[in-house]
């Protein structure tokens, strides 16, 4: 019996969202109609997934780095609230202020600017490489990895490989954190892969695949999830000697104007929750869509995460209509 359901490897971030009508263009002033650079919410893909799973009652081991020291008190208080180990959280120097600026237009499309990024690249000593200790991985049912700081990618790969713990890769198109050779290693290690349409197209082009199902040439791979935004999700999965496919509809949020930041991470949490609770692949996809719908209802990627009871209540509603 494993002590933890998930070890989550990735980053936390402070996120400032600026609302514009149209995306910036060179030589043209861009009015900002909401948001501020001095105000931020807590987010980041690693934190989003930790928070979503913990809120559902899963036992989570966070292995996180972060670039803005202003998050220190929040992150450690968050870990204590959900009875998570704190020794996998690597604190930055007190002067660190690397933050994420998201520019969002009226159609809810995003442009992301990551400040102080040079400090995160291999060779920089500002944050330091995080030691990926065996204890982070050996007592978990799954490792979930989303784009870590670039200098931590190879140590994480090596530690995951050494642990033998199944890997769920939440794909990100980030040539610094996930360059070709390291991404290839992660794909070979993965039992579950989550990617959106842009990311699956990228994987096909990057690795010369005729179609995304070709990733199942890796015998470790059991499930490949392609999220489709408002069209829901498509899931490929191994069933004996066959590669099967199922599709789940999107779940409508209970609000007039959805907020899309963090919705993909929410889907990952709902799907993985279903997976460790023995649900079918199709049920997992519905749970992913259901959790994502909560995230869409409020600005901020972790501000409206459901409890297990809330998730299952919404899931039962959509399952009857599926």
């Amino acid at each position: 019996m494993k002590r933890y359901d998930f070890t989550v490897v990735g980053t936390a971030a402070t996120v400032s969202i600026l609302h514009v009508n149209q995306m910036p263009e060179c030589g043209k002033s861009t009015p900002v109609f909401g948001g501020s650079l001095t105000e931020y919410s807590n987010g980041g893909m690693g934190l989003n997934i930790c928070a979503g799973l913990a809120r559902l009652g899963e036992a989570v081991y966070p292995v996180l780095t972060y670039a803005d020291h202003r998050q220190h008190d929040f992150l450690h208080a968050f870990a204590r609230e959900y009875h998570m180990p704190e020794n996998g959280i690597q604190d930055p120097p007190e002067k660190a202020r690397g933050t994420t600026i998201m520019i969002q237009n009226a159609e809810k499309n995003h442009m992301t600017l990551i400040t102080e990024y040079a400090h995160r690249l291999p060779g920089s000593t500002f944050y330091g490489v995080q030691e990926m200790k065996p204890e982070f991985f050996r007592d978990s049912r799954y490792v979930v990895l989303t784009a870590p700081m670039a200098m931590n990618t190879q140590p994480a790969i090596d530690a995951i490989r050494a642990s033998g713990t199944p890997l769920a890769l939440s794909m990100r198109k980030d040539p610094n954190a996930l360059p070709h050779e390291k991404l290839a290693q992660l794909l070979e290690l993965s039992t579950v892969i989550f990617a959106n349409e842009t990311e699956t197209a990228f994987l096909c082009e990057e690795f010369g695949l005729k179609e995304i199902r070709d990733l199942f040439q890796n015998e470790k791979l059991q499930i490949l999830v392609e999220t489709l935004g408002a069209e829901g999700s498509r899931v490929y999965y191994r069933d004996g000697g066959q590669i099967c496919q199922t599709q789940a509809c999107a779940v409508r949020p209970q609000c007039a104007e959805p907020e899309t930041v963090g919705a993909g991470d929410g889907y990952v949490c709902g799907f993985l929750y279903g997976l460790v609770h023995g649900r079918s692949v199709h049920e997992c996809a519905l749970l992913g869509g259901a959790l994502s719908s909560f995230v869409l209802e409020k600005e901020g990627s972790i501000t409206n995460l459901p409890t297990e009871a809330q998730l299952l209540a919404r899931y039962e509603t959509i399952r009857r209509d599926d």
Side-chain angles (χ1 to χ4, degrees):
M1 185 72 176
K2 296 288 189 178
R3 184 177 177 187
Y4 298 99
D5 298 302
F6 301 98
T7 290
V8 179
V9 182
T11 57
T14 51
V15 182
S16 297
I17 302 177
L18 305 181
H19 297 276
V20 300
N21 287 336
Q22 294 181 324
M23 284 298 184
E25 299 177 25
C26 290
K28 180 179 179 181
S29 297
T30 303
V32 176
F33 294 98
S36 168
L37 293 177
T38 60
E39 298 174 357
Y40 65 87
S41 60
N42 290 290
M45 295 169 287
L47 174 61
N48 295 345
I49 293 172
C50 281
L53 292 170
R55 180 78 168 149
L56 294 173
E58 302 305 304
V60 179
Y61 205 131
V63 180
L64 302 176
T65 50
Y66 62 106
D68 190 333
H69 195 269
R70 292 176 296 175
Q71 279 193 296
H72 177 277
D73 292 350
F74 168 82
L75 286 174
H76 287 275
F78 166 77
R80 291 190 291 271
E81 178 183 358
Y82 288 99
H83 309 291
M84 299 178 188
E86 295 179 59
N87 64 336
I89 300 173
Q90 177 163 298
D91 299 320
E94 288 190 14
K95 62 183 178 180
R97 290 294 182 271
T99 192
T100 298
I101 301 168
M102 301 194 77
I103 303 173
Q104 178 177 286
N105 68 8
E107 288 75 39
K108 307 296 183 180
N109 296 316
H110 296 96
M111 176 185 293
T112 303
L113 307 176
I114 303 175
T115 67
E116 296 189 11
Y117 199 86
H119 289 321
R120 311 180 192 206
L121 298 176
S124 172
T125 59
F126 185 78
Y127 296 115
V129 176
Q130 183 173 18
E131 182 182 1
M132 297 290 171
K133 299 178 181 179
E135 65 196 77
F136 296 167
F137 305 95
R138 64 187 172 208
D139 205 18
S140 291
R141 297 171 68 181
Y142 282 90
V143 177
V144 185
L145 183 141
T146 188
M149 283 195 185
M151 74 278 286
N152 294 328
T153 303
Q154 192 62 52
I157 292 171
D158 295 341
I160 294 166
R161 182 183 287 115
S163 74
T165 304
L167 172 63
L169 173 64
S170 182
M171 178 63 193
R172 291 295 183 269
K173 187 178 176 182
D174 185 338
N176 293 301
L178 300 176
H180 180 94
E181 67 279 5
K182 293 176 184 175
L183 183 54
Q185 293 179 67
L186 286 168
L187 294 176
E188 291 175 0
L189 286 173
S190 295
T191 299
V192 184
I193 297 173
F194 297 92
N196 61 32
E197 290 179 283
T198 299
E199 290 156 352
T200 56
F202 165 74
L203 288 172
C204 287
E205 181 178 358
E206 185 76 3
F207 293 97
L209 307 176
K210 291 183 179 179
E211 57 178 343
I212 198 62
R213 290 163 60 108
D214 291 346
L215 286 176
F216 282 94
Q217 294 171 9
N218 166 25
E219 294 184 359
K220 278 191 175 182
L221 184 61
Q222 299 297 311
I223 299 172
L224 170 62
V225 181
E226 184 177 28
T227 54
L228 308 171
E231 301 302 315
S233 60
R234 182 184 301 118
V235 187
Y236 305 95
Y237 61 98
R238 195 184 298 275
D239 186 3
Q242 301 294 318
I243 306 304
C244 303
Q245 177 180 330
T246 187
Q247 189 145 343
C249 62
V251 180
R252 288 182 177 274
Q254 297 177 7
C255 65
E257 295 188 20
E259 297 289 341
T260 57
V261 177
D265 297 325
Y267 181 99
V268 169
C269 294
F271 192 101
L272 290 175
Y273 167 85
L275 191 63
V276 298
H277 286 273
R279 301 280 188 161
S280 71
V281 170
H282 186 73
E283 290 172 325
C284 290
L286 291 175
L287 284 160
L291 202 152
S292 181
S293 71
F294 282 94
V295 178
L296 291 166
E297 288 171 0
K298 286 189 179 180
E299 185 170 285
S301 52
I302 64 173
T303 54
N304 198 48
L305 294 169
T307 63
E308 181 182 35
Q310 290 170 326
L311 173 64
L312 292 178
R314 187 167 294 186
Y315 163 76
E316 288 299 329
T317 299
I318 63 172
R319 184 178 65 85
R320 290 194 296 267
D321 298 333
D322 183 50

